[in-house]
Structure formats: C-alpha cells, structure tokens
Amino acid sequence: MKAIEVLRARTVVLPGSNIDTDQIIPARFLTTTTREGLGRSLFADWRYDGQGALLPDFVLNRPEAQGCRVLVAGRNFGCGSSREHAPWALLDYGIQAVISTEIADIFRSNSLKNGFLPVVVDETTSSWLIANPGAEVTIDVASTTLTLPTGVSVKFPLEAFSRYCLLNGVDELGFLLDRRGDIEAYEQRRHS
Amino acid sequence: MAPAPQTMLEKVWRLHEVSSETADTPAVLYIDLHLIHEVTSPQAFAVLRERGLPVRRTDLTLATMDHSTPTRTEQIFGGAPITIDSAAKQVRELEINCAQFGVELLGLRHSQRGIVHIIGPELGITQPGKTVVCGDSHTSTHGALGALAFGIGTTEVGHVLATQCLLQRKPRTFALSVSGRLRPGVTAKDLILAIIGKIGVGGGTGHVIEYRGETIRGLDMDERMTVCNMSIEAGARAGMIAPDETTYEYLAGRPRAPQGDAWERAVEEWRKLPTDAGAVFDRQVDMDASVLEPMITYGTNPGMVIPISAAIPTRDNDAVFAKSLAYMGLEAGAPIKDQPVNVVFLGSCTNGRISDLRSAASVLRGRKVAKGVQMLVIPGSQQVKKEAEAEGLDRVFIDAGAEWRESGCSMCLGMNGDLVPKGQYSVSTSNRNFEGRQGVGARTLLASPLTAAASAVRGRVTDPRELLV
Ligand code: SF4
C-alpha cells in the first residue's frame, strides 16, 4: 500500500443513499481472479446502456466529472456484499476517497486496507458538498480534517491504527506476521 | 467482588483475544473457523504466493464453491462445461489453490458441497463460542449457533490464511428483544424483514445484534439462521443468538461436532456463553412479533418493506425513493398484493434449508405453479437436496411445475447463469433486492418461502394465509 498524507481533489456527487456494493460493481464482474482492470466495471449498470455505450447523463460520464478523485455520496454508502472488488474498482477508476454521513462497516474496513479514504462528515458538511459538485476539497490524513474551498474545516473519524497505516503505507499483514510469537503462545494457552 | 456481568459478545471476544486493543492498536483476534469460497479468495492466495507464506492452520480452514457454480445437474455431474468461462476459471483456481496450500475443499461434485453458510452449521463445524469468518457478508448466519461470525474482505481473507488472526476493534452491542408469538403463516423471514424495516438498513452499523426474548427462544435452528443471516441487511456485521437446548439438539451427532466425552465438555463450556443477567448493551430495541403479518419488499433495499396487505408508501420530494420505485415499475400508494409475478426463486443462504423447502412444499402440494411463471427451487446444499428427495419434496416441486436443481447461490445473485430477465418481477426468498442483484434490470420482491410459493401458485403477489387452510 502506498503512503497517503493529503488528498487534494475535486468532487463528483452521487447523492443517493444506501448505494450498495452491487451497484458499485455488479456480481457478474466478480468472476475474476485478479484485482486489476475493475475500473471498467465501476457502476456498470448506471454508466453504460444495454449495448455497453456510456450514458452521457450519468454523473461520472459528464465532462466536468473527469479527473474528480473524491466521490460525495448519500448515507450508508457501500452497504451490502463484502466484496473488496468495490474499493478496488473505485481506485482503479481513479477515485480515492468517498465522503458520506455514514459508511457501511465492511466497505470501510476494505477501503482502509487499500488506501481508499472513507470520510464520514456531519449533515451540514454533506449537504454543502452535495449542493456544490466539483468543489476542490482537501483531505488531510495526518490531522484527520476535511477542508472545503470555503475554508471551513471539519474533523473526520479515523482510528489511530488506520491513520498510522495510511500515513506510513504499512499493510496490516506485516504487522500481524510480526505477532507470530503472541499467536503461538495463544494457541498453546488454548490447547493446554 | 463478583465479576461484572458480560454480554455474550464480550465473552466470545475475550476468549479470542491474542492481545487486547489499546488506544493505538486494535485487538489481535484469533479465528477458529475460516470458510473460503471461489469468488473472494483468489486474490488472497495470490498474496500468500507473492510473499511465500503457507496457510497457518489448514485444519481450521474449509473451502467450498457456491457463488459462480452452475445449478444444472448436467454441468455438475454430467460433464457439460460451465458456460461462463471466467466462472469456470474461478472454480479451477480454487481447486488449484486448495491443492497447493493443503486446504480441504468440498468441491463441485462433493456430497457435502453447498452454500458456505448452509454447510457450516449442517456439518456441525460451526459451534457456539467460535469465531467464524468468511469472505462473505452473510457469514452473520453462523451467529444463530452462538458463534461470533462476520464477513470480511479479501485482504482480511489473506490475513486469516497467513496468521489465523484479524486486527479488530470490538463492535458495540445491540440487544434486539422479541416477544409474542408469530401468527400462523408468519415466519422467521417475515420477522427479520420487519426488524430491518424498523431499524433501517444502516440501523445496526458498528454493532453486533444479539437477538433475544421468548420469540427467539421458540425458533428452531433453521429459523434462527434466517434471522441472523439478514443482520447484515440491517447494517450489523454479525447477529448472535444464545445457545440453548435447541442448539445442542441440532448439533449433536453432526459429522464435525465433538463426540463422546468431548461433546459433554463442549456443552459445559457452551452453557457459560449466554449474556449474564444485568449485562448492559449499547443499544436496545424491543419488538412485538404477535402483530406481524407476512412481509414483502417493494423497493431496492431490504428496508423498503411492508406488510403484504399494505399499500406502497408515498414519500413526496424524495428523489431517491422515486428512482427506486421507477426501477421497480411500482407506484406509490398502490397495493403490493396482486402484483403480477414472472419468476419465483426459492433458495439461498437465507431460506434454502430443509424446513424452508418443507414450508414451500406445504403450499405447493397438489397445486400448480401458475402459467407463465418460472419457479426455481435450489436446495442450499447437496445434503439438503438429498434430505428433500428422501422426503419426496422434489416430487412436490416438480409436479407443481417448478425446476429442481443442484445446490448453490443460483438466482440470489447474477453471476452463475441463473438470472431474472430484465424488467421481470421475481418473488425471491433471498436477502437482497438491490438493483440488478438477480440480473440486469431484474425487479426483486423479497419474501418468505410461504409467500413465494403462494405467489407462484397464483402468479401474483399472494398472502400465503389465503392458501393455508
Ligand atoms: S446465497 Fe446469496 S447471499 Fe447467500 S452466500 Fe450465496 S450469494 Fe451470498
């Protein structure tokens, strides 16, 4: 995982609540055995028509959305299936963070393990962002703040350990492997 | 001083802490059972290969295939190829990974294969007090036996394969107490749909729900699994039900449950698991089951649910709600009853167990599936299939005009070839009515096996109580 300190980018707004991981990447694209190339299938049923042509009206397909790296979405983003293909697809497409008033647990956990930033904010901030698509925002991992172009800054929750992993590009597997001694001791304790 | 009263979650959690959480680091939590399937594991095995790591505890790891596998008998047993190339490759890759890493696989033609959440309890390998994980959100199902069971992503599948552990913060506790008797024709599925309708699809986020109370105590194991299965549809990662005599009776004698003296010792430990009197939950919600009707969804998330006799709600100035109804082709204010139906799906890890099949068969016996309706009956496992055939349930379904096939996830999600055609209405006993879940443009109405069977007979959304006399 690459270290990430600050993300400064424009937003694209998908206002619906309860956007589930079946929408983020439909199941028929999950018969893959790698994690590459999933960006093509991101929001496939909303982005393409039945023939596979881009639907010009869908927000992500509009010219002004090109290059936007922060997704602003409604409440309970990423609910449903535990497929890690969801953050993989978002990242592969070029989106690196989502801002919402509520983010589903498993999606959040999967995101953090891939350097994708789940940013939970209050209603006021969320409403402002939904009303101002294309706003350039700054997400600062070190200080766990989101700064709007108006100058307003809000804190977002980020667990100390996740913050440490993001800032240092550390992956959890290395951390767990270093605990092998503890794990062995636990196994012996349980068996005796 | 007596120890402070604890919830069941806290007890199971403590027993599995390799190290406790601190302000800076999450707990290292030991996993007793890791279930694997073909869709969410290949990238995890790839990481092990990259790093030159073995699977730490092959004895605590069990693999099967269910999601992308076909359900047609000729494709499983007759040598006909799996039609979807990428699915065939995924199946093959799991076979290779299991062989190379020494993981036991209940493969395509194995008599104990089935949906991963059906076979764990069925084999007796899911047990009270265990920590159970799988790269699948409906791992919550296993909590019905008093296990702490939750879905994980593929990166975490890799963590468990390599270390048998996960880094986790302790979730918050949520007591959902249910009292009152379910009326005839109202099932565990209706109960959990009503619960989701009440607390909302994000209502359980960050929590583990413990289902409690006399109604829950009165449910059999299959029903308890239906309830815990859909905990994730309320946003909770896990659901739990305290083990009791019903649990022990269910587990006794199952192939991978402890036997003899080990059984006695295990039960003794399991009896210590239920939440202590006086333990405090972070959240508490009470429900009265006696007033419930059969429930059915009308929208594109499981929280959009109503009693079958009710009208679809009206919500002015709610664009998301309007979009959802437009997708469903349904109108606010209209009744859901008598909505024409094209497809009926009976199966999935929510309602693919033997009692679900019996319940649907009780409606279908001596009746026919309405003309123009396709009904697919997919047993949750090969064992369920065998048991159903021994009882003659397959004949009931076939005589009624339904299709009877091999086990798997099937039409619960559109990735194995079993699809609801675009624009068609499906009454489904599965757990997700998301846009496109059962196929591009498919319109899913979630309901119980009784409601599904009754709707198949009439060709319209039907209150099963009209046929249960
Ligand atoms: S039956 Fe459906 S919900 Fe259950 S494991 Fe299979 S795809 Fe997931």
Side-chain angles (χ1 to χ4, degrees), chain B residues 314-337:
Chain B
T314 306
R315 280 200 220 151
D316 296 330
N317 305 319
D318 186 336
V320 177
F321 185 78
K323 180 174 163 273
S324 176
L325 285 194
Y327 176 86
M328 293 300 294
L330 296 173
E331 263 175 63
I336 192 77
K337 228 177 106 181

Side-chain angles (χ1 to χ4, degrees), chain A residues 1 15-23 26-36 38 45-46 49-50 58 74-76 79-85 88 102-107 109-110 113-114 159-162 164-165 171-191, chain B residues 15-19 23-26 28 30 32 39-40 42-44 47 51 53 56-57 68 84 86-87 89-90 93 134-137 151-156 158-159 162-169 201-207 232-233 235-237 300-301 320 323 413-415 422 432 434-437 440:
Chain A
M1 195 168 88
S17 52
N18 303 317
I19 293 175
D20 57 78
T21 53
D22 273 85
Q23 305 318 311
R28 64 185 184 279
F29 302 110
L30 304 190
T31 55
T32 171
T33 51
T34 64
R35 49 177 95 194
E36 282 78 42
L38 292 169
D45 291 340
W46 292 348
D49 67 14
F58 181 60
R75 188 170 39 82
N76 199 24
C79 59
S81 152
S82 61
R83 60 191 68 167
E84 198 162 320
H85 309 69
W88 292 340
E102 184 183 332
I103 294 175
D105 287 339
I106 305 182
F107 179 84
S109 157
N110 285 339
K113 291 182 179 58
N114 289 277
E159 218 245 294
F161 185 72
S162 301
Y164 167 82
C165 290
D171 79 56
E172 291 184 4
L173 181 53
F175 182 90
L176 276 170
L177 288 168
D178 285 344
R179 309 295 279 272
R180 257 184 283 216
D182 293 348
I183 298 170
E184 260 156 45
Y186 173 87
E187 284 172 335
Q188 276 169 13
R189 221 162 51 230
R190 277 281 294 275
H191 274 272
Chain B
L15 286 170
H16 292 87
E17 275 178 335
V18 169
S19 57
D24 290 333
T25 50
V28 175
Y30 199 81
D32 295 328
V39 179
T40 56
Q43 297 87 348
V47 169
R51 300 212 188 186
L53 295 166
R56 182 181 175 86
R57 294 292 300 264
S68 56
I84 305 169
S86 50
K89 179 158 182 273
Q90 221 170 36
E93 185 134 338
C134 173
D136 192 285
S137 60
I152 56 178
T154 297
T155 300
E156 289 181 317
H159 294 174
T163 69
Q164 204 57 33
C165 289
L166 281 174
L167 288 165
Q168 292 285 308
R169 289 272 172 202
V201 287
T205 304
H207 293 78
I232 182 73
E233 272 61 57
R237 272 184 95 171
T300 53
N301 72 56
V320 177
K323 180 174 163 273
L413 93 173
M415 70 178 298
K422 190 169 181 175
R432 287 185 174 142
F434 299 150
E435 277 184 39
R437 172 81 179 183
V440 179

Side-chain angles (χ1 to χ4, degrees), chain A residues 83-161:
Chain A
R83 60 191 68 167
E84 198 162 320
H85 309 69
W88 292 340
L90 284 157
L91 282 165
D92 189 53
Y93 180 86
I95 292 175
Q96 292 172 281
V98 62
I99 309 178
S100 171
T101 52
E102 184 183 332
I103 294 175
D105 287 339
I106 305 182
F107 179 84
R108 178 186 176 84
S109 157
N110 285 339
S111 296
L112 289 166
K113 291 182 179 58
N114 289 277
F116 182 89
L117 304 175
V119 179
V120 172
V121 297
D122 58 278
E123 287 288 349
T124 317
T125 309
S126 168
S127 310
W128 188 92
L129 284 163
I130 288 171
N132 292 276
E136 184 160 281
V137 298
T138 305
I139 301 169
D140 187 319
V141 177
S143 64
T144 63
T145 51
L146 164 75
T147 307
L148 307 181
T150 55
V152 170
S153 270
V154 290
K155 282 277 204 189
F156 60 87
L158 185 64
E159 218 245 294
F161 185 72

Side-chain angles (χ1 to χ4, degrees), chain B residues 66-67 115-117 136 138 229 348-349 409 412-413 431 437:
Chain B
D66 50 5
H67 283 67
I115 303 172
V116 62
H117 311 308
D136 192 285
H138 289 100
N229 173 272
S348 88
C349 59
C409 295
C412 176
L413 93 173
N431 45 51
R437 172 81 179 183

